[in-house]
Amino acid sequence: MTQPSLLSLSASQLLDAFASSAPTPGGGSASALSGAIGASLLAMVAALPKTRTGDAAERVALDASGTKLGELRQTLAALVDEDTRAYDMVTAAFKNPRGTDEEKAVRKAAIQTAMRAATEAPLATMRACEAAMRESAI
């Protein structure tokens, strides 16, 4: 069963989820959420009606930057849930049985797959945040 997106929760419910004793959502999801908020704020600044100098080229650059920041915001928003799913995969993999050699092999493969996903989600978050920071330099 697919769980609802963390972003569909109210702010209060989301904070409660982060404060709970459950292993997820955790730091990776919080980082992606923070990045999405940052990208949103940068997009807001890019959309301000007045530019620094009033130059048309500056407006074009800010509009392009705002578009890219909107895309990065969406990426980061998706990573909030992706990080949680990845960590949930890790915990599930470690719960696999390991009584027989075959079970041990299946468990080991599941752990490796899950650990890769649990590494890729925060790496994608870091890359998207870095791209948002670069857009802010316009």
Side-chain angles (χ1 to χ4, degrees):
M1 180 167 118
T2 303
Q3 294 195 352
S5 171
L6 289 167
L7 296 181
S8 69
L9 301 175
S10 71
S12 181
Q13 291 170 320
L14 182 57
L15 292 174
D16 288 345
F18 279 117
S20 79
S21 62
T24 57
S29 293
S31 296
L33 176 60
S34 296
I37 291 169
S40 297
L41 290 169
L42 290 169
M44 176 189 70
V45 171
L48 290 174
K50 291 185 178 182
T51 68
R52 206 172 350 163
T53 64
D55 183 55
E58 195 172 58
R59 175 79 270 149
V60 169
L62 284 168
D63 289 345
S65 199
T67 298
K68 180 64 176 170
L69 287 161
E71 293 167 3
L72 290 165
R73 173 189 166 203
Q74 294 304 317
T75 297
L76 287 158
L79 285 163
V80 172
D81 291 321
E82 182 58 32
D83 188 84
T84 293
R85 278 191 297 275
Y87 191 80
D88 286 344
M89 283 176 52
V90 171
T91 58
F94 274 103
K95 291 178 182 177
N96 283 339
R98 55 182 176 211
T100 67
D101 287 343
E102 184 179 338
E103 288 175 340
K104 288 176 186 175
V106 168
R107 181 177 183 266
K108 182 179 179 179
I111 290 169
Q112 287 176 344
T113 298
M115 293 297 275
R116 180 157 186 97
T119 301
E120 289 173 352
L123 182 58
T125 297
M126 184 175 58
R127 287 181 174 149
C129 287
E130 187 265 343
M133 288 189 310
R134 288 195 185 278
E135 285 300 319
S136 72
I138 299 292

